[in-house]
């Protein structure tokens, strides 16, 4: 076959249908035949919208991540300016190129063709959940169990509010004991594929300790620790007996809908997914120095709407261990693309600002924000304020367009087909 996703001859819907047909035959990301099919859909060209030309005509513009130094895009703009619609357009197009797309959806409205949703709040009777304590063998081989435990304590601390040093030490002991009881150790390779403890096990262990006591920790510490873990372990997402693997997330273009989850749980869920993706990509090794095509250059795209929830939620945006900073500084090397949207530039840390190669700025913006954004885009603040511009009017700056262009972003197509991870 000699056709391409972006050839004019084949409509996007036809490509979607073809990919669905392949998926029904079991040809999904992670299956070798899939790579061959995907090569036919390269290079990645994401049509964004039309710019008005001098002669009154329209010039189409696209984002071509293969021409950029990295696949990171930042989308900013006021409420109702069209950010979520733009993410849907971009996500749908990336899926049609056969690149897996993972969406962290804090508001529950980033819905496009080809995704399968994992609802954070619903009991996933037939589906899957998330287990932050699950271990990827390759990661364990690289970093060891102690680092995993320390990271997990940090993550639970960030999600639930600062853990005191006694609480952190108590949690570390409980998790270490649980791994040992489940027969998982650094040195015994065969143990890494065993069952893993879950947040529910931590909660049960702490409940027991509250009654019977635990050496070295007073009852007050144990009770506080248990209360913090309970806010997480009570969620159906973390109680599910079958945790989703990264392979599964990629093969099904997972959309994690966190919109109905509590503040603590959605932070932990988002961080867990991003950390799993990053660790797996790192364990797979760097992409080739000179990638043959975009299918070698990009292994996955991650879309996060309302990044503010992740970047400002109980963490320090400037902390270099913050998962967003880790992804922007190291993600490119491992084939990760990122599309991040939030209302204001200040929702992103300076490492994110330094690294993103493409910026999409929605035109409707309040004057203070416009003053901050304009220099980054090579514009005057007045260009960004205009109240009469309709939603979807944006300035786009990237290497693909060779500078800043003003666009009317296309409307994303209504999805024909999407599913639930619980149906799989
Ligand atoms: N490209 C577009 N063309 C036309 N209308 C748009 C476009 N983008 C957004 N809109 C309209 O604006 C509304 C708000 O857009 P949305 O993407 O939800 O904004 P935001 O996420 O920035 O708050 C949409 O429901 C839609 O009606
Ligand atoms: Mg939105």
């Amino acid at each position: 076959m000699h056709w391409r996703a972006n050839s004019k001859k084949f409509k996007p819907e036809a490509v979607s249908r073809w990919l669905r047909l392949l998926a029904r035959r079991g040809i999904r990301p992670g299956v070798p035949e899939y790579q061959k099919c995907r090569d036919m859909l390269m290079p990645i060209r994401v049509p964004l919208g039309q710019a008005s030309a001098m002669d009154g005509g329209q010039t189409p513009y696209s984002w071509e991540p293969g021409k950029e130094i990295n696949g990171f895009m930042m989308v900013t703009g006021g409420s109702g300016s069209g950010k979520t619609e733009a993410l849907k357009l971009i996500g749908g197009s990336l899926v049609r190129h056969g690149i897996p797309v993972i969406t962290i959806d804090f508001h529950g409205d980033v819905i496009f063709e080809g995704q399968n949703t994992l609802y954070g709040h619903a009991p996933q009777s037939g589906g899957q959940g998330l287990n932050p304590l699950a271990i990827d063998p390759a990661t364990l081989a690289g970093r060891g169990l102690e680092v995993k435990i320390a990271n997990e304590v940090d993550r639970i601390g960030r999600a639930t509010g600062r853990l005191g040093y006694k609480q952190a030490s108590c949690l570390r002991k409980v998790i270490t004991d649980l791994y040992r009881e489940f027969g998982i150790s650094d040195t015994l390779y065969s143990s890494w594929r065993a069952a893993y403890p879950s947040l529910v096990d931590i909660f049960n262990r702490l409940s027991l300790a509250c009654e019977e006591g635990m050496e070295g920790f007073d009852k007050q510490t144990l009770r506080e620790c248990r209360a913090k873990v309970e806010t997480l372990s009570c969620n159906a997402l973390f109680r599910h007996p079958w945790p989703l693997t990264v392979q599964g997330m990629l093969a099904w273009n997972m959309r994690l809908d966190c919109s109905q989850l509590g503040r603590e749980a959605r932070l932990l869920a988002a961080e867990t997914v991003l950390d799993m993706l990053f660790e797996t990509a790192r364990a797979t090794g760097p992409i080739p120095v000179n990638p043959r095509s975009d299918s070698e250059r990009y292994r996955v795209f991650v879309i996060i709407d309302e990044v503010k929830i992740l970047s400002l939620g109980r963490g320090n945006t400037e902390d270099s261990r913050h998962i967003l900073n880790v992804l922007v500084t190291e993600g490119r090397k491992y084939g990760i693309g990122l599309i991040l949207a939030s209302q204001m530039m200040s929702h992103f840390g300076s490492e994110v600002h330094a690294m993103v190669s493409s910026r999409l700025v929605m035109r409707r913006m309040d004057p203070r924000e416009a003053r901050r954004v304009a220099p980054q885009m090579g514009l005057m603040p007045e260009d960004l304020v205009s109240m009469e511009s309709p939603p979807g009017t944006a300035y786009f700056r990237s290497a693909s367009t060779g500078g800043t262009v003003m666009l009317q972003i296309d409307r994303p197509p209504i999805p024909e087909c999407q599913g639930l991870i619980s149906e799989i």
Side-chain angles (χ1 to χ4, degrees), residues 63-64 67-69 357-358 396-403:
W63 179 47
E64 295 171 59
K67 288 189 181 167
E68 310 286 339
I69 50 166
S357 62
S358 311
F396 182 57
R397 181 172 194 153
S398 77
S400 324
T401 50

Side-chain angles (χ1 to χ4, degrees), residues 121-173:
H121 59 284
Q124 320 265 333
S125 51
Q128 293 183 304
L130 278 181
N131 183 1
L133 299 187
I135 294 174
D136 174 44
T139 311
L140 197 56
R143 309 183 67 195
L145 194 55
E146 267 193 36
V147 175
K148 164 78 184 162
I149 294 172
N151 284 348
E152 223 42 67
V153 173
D154 271 356
R155 224 192 316 273
I156 293 176
R158 269 198 302 279
T160 58
R162 237 165 254 297
L163 286 176
Y165 77 95
K166 273 198 208 157
Q167 293 169 3
S169 144
C170 169
L171 201 56
R172 197 170 308 120
K173 177 167 172 22

Side-chain angles (χ1 to χ4, degrees), residues 78-85 391-392 408-411:
S79 174
S81 59
K83 297 182 297 298
T84 304
E85 293 292 301
Q408 179 60 37
I409 304 287
D410 295 337
R411 287 308 295 266

